[in-house]
């Protein structure tokens, strides 16, 4: 919905709706894009109507729909990656194909997959959710498993409902190169808002997509990560430096110094582009203690 709002094309997914019907995933399938005012913000909400939905081999349906919709090889492989995370059963084929292939189709058409996609950490929510086995505490086990499989960070909020579904988690981890706490430095071009139409206490039900252009070389912000290493051997430090460079550090250098009680220590300094520091901090913690 947010991508349709950003692109300004309410009928962009008509070809995919036809594909879903041609595949026989249901007897009737229709969708519409509705414009809403959510807390003073204009947003788009997708209304999906399915009749006679049937179960079946979801991976095969996903692959066939992705091919019939004309996805590029990049978008096609990402759609299959999402399907691999979701598994073989438990999800309505028509709605899931529409969500996953539709998202890839819109990103593909706008050439966004050729750029860099980043996200803020998804909010999981709390409370209880309904499953086939009864009520369980949110988030869904499948959501946590998908995020863990990709080592993807998340955050929580005191909202008594499920905020990130397994399908949402699978889409996000397949699309976003990384999760960051704040927006990257860029020139904004277009903004789109999507809404699920739910009542969320204390906040609007919105997701925001921003299209932006990278700044020219020389205008990006850099950070230096720095820490003292006490009682670390040259082999440990050398291997840590290799891993930091492999993970994208711009530069790494070691400075000898004196620590507590005049003991010799090494100060490791890591230069990185703003927004890339999270992964490098993880490497420092893993390799140096």
């Amino acid at each position: 919905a947010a991508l349709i709002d950003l692109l300004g094309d309410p009928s962009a997914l008509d070809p995919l709706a036809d594909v879903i019907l041609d595949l026989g995933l249901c007897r009737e399938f229709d969708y519409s894009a509705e414009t809403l005012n959510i807390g003073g913000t204009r947003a788009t909400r997708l209304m999906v109507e399915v009749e006679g939905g049937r179960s079946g081999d979801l991976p095969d349906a996903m692959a066939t729909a992705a091919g019939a919709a004309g996805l590029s090889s990049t978008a096609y492989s990402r759609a299959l990656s999402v399907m691999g995370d979701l598994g073989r059963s438990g999800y309505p084929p028509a709605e899931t194909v529409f969500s996953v292939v539709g998202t890839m189709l819109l990103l593909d058409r706008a050439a966004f997959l050729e750029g860099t996609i980043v996200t803020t950490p998804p909010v999981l929510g709390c409370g209880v959710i309904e499953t086939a086995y009864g009520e369980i505490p949110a988030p869904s086990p499948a959501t946590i498993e998908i995020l863990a499989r990709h080592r993807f960070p998340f955050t929580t909020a005191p909202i008594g409902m499920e905020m990130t579904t397994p399908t949402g988690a699978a889409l996000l981890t397949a699309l976003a190169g990384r999760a960051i706490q704040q927006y990257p430095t860029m020139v904004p071009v277009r903004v789109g808002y999507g809404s699920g139409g739910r009542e969320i206490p204390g906040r609007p039900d919105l997701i925001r997509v921003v299209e932006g252009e990278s700044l020219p070389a020389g205008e990006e912000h850099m950070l230096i990560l720095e820490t003292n290493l006490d009682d670390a051997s040259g082999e440990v430090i050398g291997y840590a430096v290799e891993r930091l460079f492999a993970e994208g550090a711009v530069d790494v250098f070691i400075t000898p110094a004196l620590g507590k009680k005049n003991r010799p220590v090494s100060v490791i300094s890591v230069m990185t582009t703003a927004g890339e520091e999270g992964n490098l901090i993880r490497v420092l913690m893993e390799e140096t203690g």
Side-chain angles (χ1 to χ4, degrees), residues 11-80:
S11 59
L13 296 180
D14 285 356
L16 177 59
D18 295 337
V19 166
I20 290 173
L21 283 174
D22 292 341
L23 291 177
L25 297 179
C26 54
R27 287 197 308 272
E28 298 290 337
F29 184 90
D30 194 18
Y31 82 99
S32 60
E34 177 185 11
T35 300
L36 305 173
N37 186 305
I38 308 292
T41 300
R42 188 185 67 85
T44 296
R45 180 187 180 191
L46 283 183
M47 306 292 292
V48 178
E49 297 181 11
V50 179
E51 289 185 14
R54 66 171 179 82
S55 60
D57 193 319
L58 191 51
D60 285 350
M62 186 76 72
T64 304
L71 296 185
S72 68
S73 58
T74 299
Y76 182 87
S77 64
R78 295 202 187 191
L80 295 190

Side-chain angles (χ1 to χ4, degrees), residues 121-273:
V123 178
L124 299 193
C126 54
V128 296
I129 56 176
E130 293 286 346
T131 72
Y133 307 100
E135 291 186 345
I136 62 172
S140 144
T143 298
I144 287 288
E145 288 171 7
I146 291 169
L147 294 173
R149 188 176 302 135
H150 295 274
R151 296 195 61 142
F152 209 84
F154 66 84
T155 187
T156 58
I159 301 172
M161 63 177 64
E162 183 180 38
M163 299 294 291
T164 301
T165 65
T167 302
L171 277 167
L172 202 60
T173 54
L175 292 171
R178 65 187 191 276
I180 56 179
Q181 294 295 334
Q182 58 188 7
Y183 278 31
T185 302
M186 63 180 178
V187 178
V189 178
R190 291 182 290 185
V191 182
Y193 291 90
S195 175
R198 299 180 300 173
E199 293 292 332
I200 301 179
R203 65 179 64 196
D205 179 22
L206 292 173
I207 187 170
R208 175 166 50 197
V209 175
V210 182
E211 175 190 1
E213 297 175 352
S214 299
L215 293 179
E219 295 188 23
E220 59 188 0
H221 293 282
M222 305 295 291
L223 297 177
I224 292 185
L225 310 175
E226 198 167 77
T227 186
N228 293 357
L229 302 179
D230 189 6
D231 195 24
S233 69
E235 290 81 2
V236 167
I237 295 174
Y239 183 68
V241 170
E242 290 180 5
R243 278 211 60 197
L244 289 164
F245 276 122
E247 295 289 342
V250 175
D251 197 8
V252 183
F253 52 94
I254 310 297
T255 306
L258 292 177
K260 292 179 180 179
K261 300 181 180 179
N262 291 325
R263 290 181 302 183
V265 300
S266 297
V267 181
I268 183 167
S269 304
V270 185
M271 293 182 62
T272 177
T273 306

